[in-house]
């Protein structure tokens, strides 16, 4: 089962690029972020024509998450538990039925948190506390599970081409990285780093100042696996070349293969 996370940065602007990648990469499941569309306006037909089931949790103009799956989806839930007043569309989860077993997949778009200090950063840290609570529940469940998406977290210095320019940014502040580590320390495996330890691997390049051409990137798109899911992983890669294509997202897909 090939599962990918992809911040597409607007489905209307990126539809051709996303479809080209789907046709080429043939993932079974895609967890999308920043669809920037309400549910009723999401262009379902091109995905359904390719055999994907489509579940969205949208919001007008920004945020928004979705699951595309060639396999049946069960028990779809929208919204991260823990704050009934939170209206931002940043979380969707479902159970995917594999050939040999089911996998719980959770797609997330973690708040950016800038500028700091301020209410946006307070919201980010509070959201990460709620994420940790959900992560604890997933660890206690019987089936393999993963949490994948745009975490807006640079975990370590080697995850940025120029870490010195991020020291005051919400993505790299010590409190942010500590909150991320608390989740990992529950027993999660960060899929990409379990396979590749070298620096120089990124999943986001800004549109400004030739960041892609100079490989001035950061790695902020992550897949966190419970032990039962980590035991099934056979590969994890970043499709970095997608960033150099026509009208790309500023993020690229990151994917894993699970023997499920």
């Amino acid at each position: 089962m090939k599962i990918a996370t992809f911040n597409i940065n607007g489905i209307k602007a990126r539809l051709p690029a996303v479809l080209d990648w789907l046709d080429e990469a043939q993932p079974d499941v895609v967890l999308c972020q920043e669809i920037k569309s309400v549910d009723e306006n999401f262009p379902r037909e091109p995905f359904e024509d390719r055999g994907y089931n489509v579940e969205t949790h949208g919001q007008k103009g920004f945020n928004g998450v979705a699951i595309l799956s060639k396999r049946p989806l069960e028990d779809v839930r929208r919204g991260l538990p823990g704050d009934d007043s939170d209206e931002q569309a940043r979380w969707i989860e479902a159970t995917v039925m594999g050939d040999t077993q089911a996998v719980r997949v959770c797609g997330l778009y973690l708040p950016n948190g800038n500028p700091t200090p301020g209410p946006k950063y307070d919201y980010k840290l509070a959201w990460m506390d709620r994420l940790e609570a959900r992560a604890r529940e997933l660890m206690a469940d019987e089936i393999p599970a993963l949490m994948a998406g745009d975490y807006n977290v640079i975990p370590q210095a080697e995850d940025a081409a120029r870490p010195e320019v991020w020291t005051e940014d919400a993505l790299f502040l010590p409190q942010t990285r500590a909150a991320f580590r608390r989740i990992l320390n529950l027993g999660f495996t960060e899929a990409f780093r379990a396979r590749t330890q070298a620096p120089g691997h990124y999943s986001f390049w800004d549109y400004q100042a030739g960041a892609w051409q100079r490989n001035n990137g950061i790695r902020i798109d992550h897949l966190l696996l419970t032990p039962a899911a980590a035991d099934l992983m056979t590969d994890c890669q970043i499709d970095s070349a997608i960033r150099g294509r026509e009208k790309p997202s500023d993020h690229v897909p990151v994917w894993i293969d699970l023997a499920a």
Side-chain angles (χ1 to χ4, degrees), residues 57-194:
H57 179 35
Q59 186 175 345
K60 186 175 181 179
F62 58 103
N63 299 335
V65 287
I67 303 176
L68 314 174
S69 178
K70 287 186 175 180
R71 297 169 181 266
L73 292 172
E74 296 183 358
D75 190 19
V76 180
R77 303 182 196 173
R78 295 165 174 83
L80 183 64
D83 182 358
D84 292 339
S85 67
D86 186 2
E87 297 180 349
Q88 297 193 28
R90 295 182 174 274
W91 179 271
I92 189 169
E93 61 177 275
T95 298
V96 181
M97 308 308 296
D99 291 335
T100 58
Q101 59 189 116
V103 179
R104 190 70 179 170
V105 298
C106 306
L108 64 95
Y109 177 42
L110 204 146
N112 177 285
N114 285 301
T116 63
K120 290 187 176 181
Y121 191 57
D122 295 341
Y123 174 64
K124 181 189 186 96
L125 293 180
W127 206 95
M128 295 185 81
D129 286 342
R130 290 160 56 200
L131 180 63
E132 180 181 348
R134 183 68 187 112
R136 289 179 182 276
E137 295 173 349
L138 291 169
M139 290 293 290
D141 288 343
E142 295 296 318
I143 69 170
L146 60 88
M147 304 189 303
D150 176 359
Y151 276 76
N152 272 313
V153 174
I154 304 169
Q156 303 172 86
E158 56 262 40
D159 295 314
R162 299 179 62 205
E164 68 277 5
V165 306
W166 294 93
T167 54
E168 302 299 320
D169 193 281
L171 280 64
F172 196 50
L173 284 175
Q175 303 98 303
T176 302
R177 290 184 286 149
F180 185 74
R181 282 195 304 273
R182 283 197 298 273
I183 296 169
L184 284 178
N185 290 342
L186 297 175
F188 283 84
T189 294
E190 205 259 272
F192 184 77
R193 281 298 179 219

Side-chain angles (χ1 to χ4, degrees), residues 30 33 47 64 81 83 88 91 104 123 134 144 161 170 195 203 212 239 252:
V30 187
Q33 304 90 49
F47 300 103
D83 182 358
Q88 297 193 28
W91 179 271
R104 190 70 179 170
Y123 174 64
R134 183 68 187 112
R195 302 282 299 182
S203 63
W212 163 247
D239 282 351
V252 295

Side-chain angles (χ1 to χ4, degrees), residues 171-234:
L171 280 64
F172 196 50
L173 284 175
Q175 303 98 303
T176 302
R177 290 184 286 149
F180 185 74
R181 282 195 304 273
R182 283 197 298 273
I183 296 169
L184 284 178
N185 290 342
L186 297 175
F188 283 84
T189 294
E190 205 259 272
F192 184 77
R193 281 298 179 219
R195 302 282 299 182
T196 304
Q197 285 76 49
H201 297 276
Y202 312 121
S203 63
F204 170 92
W205 297 260
D206 196 275
Y207 291 123
Q208 306 300 316
W212 163 247
Q213 290 75 10
R214 296 184 292 112
N215 198 27
N216 180 15
I218 53 177
R219 195 177 68 89
I220 57 175
D221 301 86
H222 311 301
L223 296 106
L224 271 55
L225 315 180
T226 64
D231 286 346
L232 301 174
M233 183 173 67
T234 59

